[in-house]
Amino acid sequence: MPYRLLLAALSVISSPLLAAEPAEISTIRLRENGPALTPEQAKALSAAALGDALLAPGHPPVTEVTVGPEGMEPPTPPGMPDSTRIKLYLEPVRSGKTGFCERDIATVYLAPVNRLKDGHLPASPAARISTQTAYRWVGSPSSGVTCTASKYQFFTTKPEAEDQALEAVHLLGLASQDAKLGRRISFPVSVEDREGPSMLAYERQHPEIPHDPELKIVTNAKNALASLPVDAVSFSGLASTAYPDVLRPADRTNKLGTGQRAMTIFLGGDWAVGLIISDGQIKLLRMVREIPAPF
């Protein structure tokens, strides 16, 4: 289909004339007989238009998209069909899980096609879809933190560990709030700042760089806990599935020598938090601030 005709077709898909179609709000499905797209055409469309082109009527608004690979992904082997992946990030809403906002992510795969002689992929229709829910900690309604945020400020969990992952963030959010309010923290908490010394050393080695008065070494654990960007979690899960694991072997057993649940949370881009949780309470918390690896 010529590109102009494609855009015209998509404008019809999005038009109010289709308002009479039954809305399947409870399920995110592929649009029947949706248009074939090339990756370039998908990237040229707005998030809303691309969502309407790929998803059945009645879906929540699509606010952000990514088309194609994210980060370092291996390319498709030469001569093999290539399937373009499109991620549609739906509008976030307040979650039924206390303290969280959530948004659905619909991942659409276009039908596999072989590259043309010029290296480009020809247009192909959507072939399959998968969905998952991403979360963001916002705390209480009075916190002032809203659901509106970039896709990078939401995190997904492994389905088999979702409850434990959300519980860990929930407990960390409450602990950070207690620290802000000056309340007593009832569990051991420590902080290790590896980023501050590295940045200060870099400044000393490069005197031509203007001094940053905000640059400092974090040593006060309670202040660090109070200032943690819990609304910017990128990962929460079992410590055994995370790298780095900032907990120590001795942290994982109580006085009776029995195991306790060890969790890891990454947040803010440079913070890793290890938690020991038992009976719905934090028993120990370690924070490490470190410049992340460049990959």
Side-chain angles (χ1 to χ4, degrees):
M1 179 186 294
Y3 192 44
R4 289 183 182 177
L5 294 180
L6 171 66
L7 292 178
L10 293 179
S11 67
V12 172
I13 289 173
S14 307
S15 75
L17 295 177
L18 294 179
E21 292 189 37
E24 296 289 340
I25 297 177
S26 60
T27 304
I28 301 172
R29 300 178 293 108
L30 287 177
R31 170 176 284 279
E32 293 184 9
N33 301 316
L37 292 168
T38 68
E40 291 76 18
Q41 289 169 343
K43 291 177 182 179
L45 295 172
S46 68
L50 186 56
D52 288 340
L54 296 174
L55 302 180
H59 65 82
V62 175
T63 59
E64 296 177 86
V65 302
T66 57
V67 179
E70 294 181 277
M72 298 178 64
E73 296 186 19
T76 302
M80 296 292 293
D82 202 330
S83 177
T84 299
R85 183 183 63 210
I86 300 174
K87 280 191 175 182
L88 306 171
Y89 297 83
L90 281 65
E91 186 174 58
V93 297
R94 195 81 189 192
S95 175
K97 302 179 188 300
T98 303
F100 289 94
C101 288
E102 64 180 50
R103 73 189 312 170
D104 288 323
I105 304 173
T107 303
V108 176
Y109 296 86
L110 301 186
V113 288
N114 289 309
R115 290 189 177 273
L116 302 172
K117 291 183 178 180
D118 62 5
H120 290 86
L121 291 173
S124 61
R128 60 188 178 95
I129 185 173
S130 64
T131 60
Q132 62 182 152
T133 302
Y135 298 93
R136 182 184 186 223
W137 174 256
V138 293
S140 66
S142 62
S143 68
V145 182
T146 66
C147 290
T148 303
S150 162
K151 59 181 179 290
Y152 299 114
Q153 290 184 284
F154 287 76
F155 67 96
T156 58
T157 68
K158 293 189 175 182
E160 66 274 15
E162 180 176 275
D163 290 343
Q164 297 97 317
L166 295 182
E167 179 191 41
V169 175
H170 185 271
L171 292 174
L172 181 62
L174 296 182
S176 180
Q177 182 66 21
D178 285 344
K180 287 178 185 177
L181 296 175
R183 295 172 180 161
R184 187 179 71 88
I185 302 301
S186 61
F187 50 83
V189 54
S190 64
V191 62
E192 180 183 358
D193 185 3
R194 302 170 185 170
E195 179 177 315
S198 296
M199 296 301 294
L200 288 171
Y202 185 83
E203 269 198 352
R204 289 194 297 269
Q205 294 167 8
H206 298 273
E208 72 279 5
I209 298 176
H211 173 66
D212 182 358
E214 299 296 320
L215 190 59
K216 60 183 179 181
I217 300 175
V218 178
T219 58
N220 187 299
K222 190 170 183 179
N223 288 347
L225 178 60
S227 61
L228 278 179
V230 189
D231 59 340
V233 171
S234 58
F235 171 86
S236 177
L238 298 174
S240 59
T241 66
Y243 180 83
D245 179 3
V246 300
L247 292 169
R248 301 171 184 173
D251 296 335
R252 301 170 187 274
T253 57
N254 58 23
K255 294 180 180 179
L256 299 177
T258 56
Q260 301 180 101
R261 181 149 44 87
M263 303 295 293
T264 295
I265 299 175
F266 299 144
L267 62 168
D270 52 2
W271 283 100
V273 178
L275 306 95
I276 298 296
I277 297 175
S278 179
D279 298 325
Q281 296 182 336
I282 298 176
K283 300 300 182 180
L284 179 146
L285 187 150
R286 293 192 186 280
M287 296 171 286
V288 174
R289 180 177 178 238
E290 188 170 25
I291 300 173
F295 51 84

